[in-house]
Amino acid sequence: MNDIHDRLKTYEGRAAATAGTGKDLVNEPMIRHWCEAMGDTNPAYAGPEAVAPPTMLQAWTMGGLSGHTGRSDAYDELLALLDGAGYTSVVATDCEQEYLRPLRPGDAITFDAVIESVSERKTTKLGTGYFVTTRMDVRADGELAGTHRFRILKYTPGAPKPKGKRPRPVINRDNAGFWEDVAAHRLLIQRCGDCATLRFPWLPGCNACGSRAWDTVEASGSGTVFSYVVMHHPPFPAFTLPEHAADAAGPYAVGLIELAEGVRMVSNVVGVPYDKVRIGMPVRLEFLRVDAELELPVFRAQDGGEG
Ligand code: ZN
């Protein structure tokens, strides 16, 4: 274990890039595109006296699709060493820049980068690994214009989390009645006491007229899939339906169900694979026991999903 740490430390101070050159001079079209993409309308970045936005510093050094210039072997060796020790994943964690002088159209960019530090072994929420910090010195016509510090974490992904409990609904004064009736296997929709507009989810007042008077009607239980999304990443095993338990980390469908009464609710569609849920599919209410404390209204597909 200490062996790799000592080897990693030997890379501190070594070059990550030497005598790199910017692929273009600092130029107005790239500045304009950047400002449009960022929505930055600062007048300092346009006109005959324009300077480049300081935060573009790194853009002038990027290799683009045609590749980097001046990248050293040391940085690639360091990453390969970490890969070989099992730290195969990488995530960029942060970036710090210092600006020493403005960049102007026509400036020729050169840069050098050094592997500034390799951390001790750290354990993060993502997994265990090493932070690698590089510092790039960016020069304009040979004069130091700014520095760009960039940090990555090379890590071994942590073990997948055990399946947790499905998150509990938030029950408060406004919706407690709804959940009491779910426990009794009834799905109640609020109805305005003044204008009779139905509403879901439960709220203290009427969206249509503002009245706070209300009673309820019981849903017939029939409905259709109004819309849906299929959730792929990140996986949330707690949301996997019991009938799909064999693939607990797999995708699942989130349905927006339009009840026969006209209101819509977000729920699960059961009795059909996630990729067979379809808009317009008829569904019927049932109650799913998720665990000892939680039962949820869900909707069972009525035509097997082949329509
Ligand atoms: Zn109303």
Side-chain angles (χ1 to χ4, degrees), residues 161-212:
K161 291 192 178 60
K163 177 176 173 171
K165 278 190 172 178
R166 185 157 169 155
R168 309 287 104 170
V170 175
I171 299 178
N172 55 34
R173 278 193 307 182
D174 296 325
N175 68 9
F178 171 78
W179 289 104
E180 283 163 17
D181 279 279
V182 165
H185 290 189
R186 299 186 332 136
L187 184 68
L188 295 190
I189 303 165
Q190 272 181 314
R191 176 172 57 193
C192 176
D194 282 304
C195 75
T197 299
L198 299 178
R199 64 178 185 261
F200 191 90
W202 282 30
L203 292 166
C206 174
N207 284 333
C209 75
S211 169
R212 290 197 286 178

Side-chain angles (χ1 to χ4, degrees), residues 71-223:
R71 189 156 156 170
S72 80
D73 292 338
Y75 194 68
D76 291 336
E77 280 172 32
L78 173 58
L79 298 188
L81 179 60
L82 286 162
D83 281 336
Y87 304 100
T88 51
S89 294
V90 64
V91 62
T93 60
D94 60 289
C95 161
E96 296 163 28
Q97 296 186 330
E98 266 183 281
Y99 312 118
L100 302 171
R101 84 132 165 94
L103 296 177
R104 295 193 169 77
D107 283 339
I109 299 297
T110 53
F111 54 93
D112 295 283
V114 63
I115 300 165
E116 197 170 61
S117 64
V118 183
S119 73
E120 304 294 312
R121 199 161 73 115
K122 304 275 190 185
T123 295
T124 71
K125 278 189 180 169
L126 287 172
T128 295
Y130 294 85
F131 290 93
V132 177
T133 305
T134 53
R135 190 196 73 238
M136 180 180 284
D137 294 326
V138 181
R139 295 185 169 75
D141 293 336
E143 183 186 353
L144 190 61
T147 64
H148 171 75
R149 233 182 223 94
F150 189 69
R151 193 167 294 119
I152 61 168
L153 173 65
K154 280 286 283 176
Y155 67 99
T156 306
K161 291 192 178 60
K163 177 176 173 171
K165 278 190 172 178
R166 185 157 169 155
R168 309 287 104 170
V170 175
I171 299 178
N172 55 34
R173 278 193 307 182
D174 296 325
N175 68 9
F178 171 78
W179 289 104
E180 283 163 17
D181 279 279
V182 165
H185 290 189
R186 299 186 332 136
L187 184 68
L188 295 190
I189 303 165
Q190 272 181 314
R191 176 172 57 193
C192 176
D194 282 304
C195 75
T197 299
L198 299 178
R199 64 178 185 261
F200 191 90
W202 282 30
L203 292 166
C206 174
N207 284 333
C209 75
S211 169
R212 290 197 286 178
W214 56 272
D215 63 0
T216 58
V217 293
E218 183 175 354
S220 67
S222 66

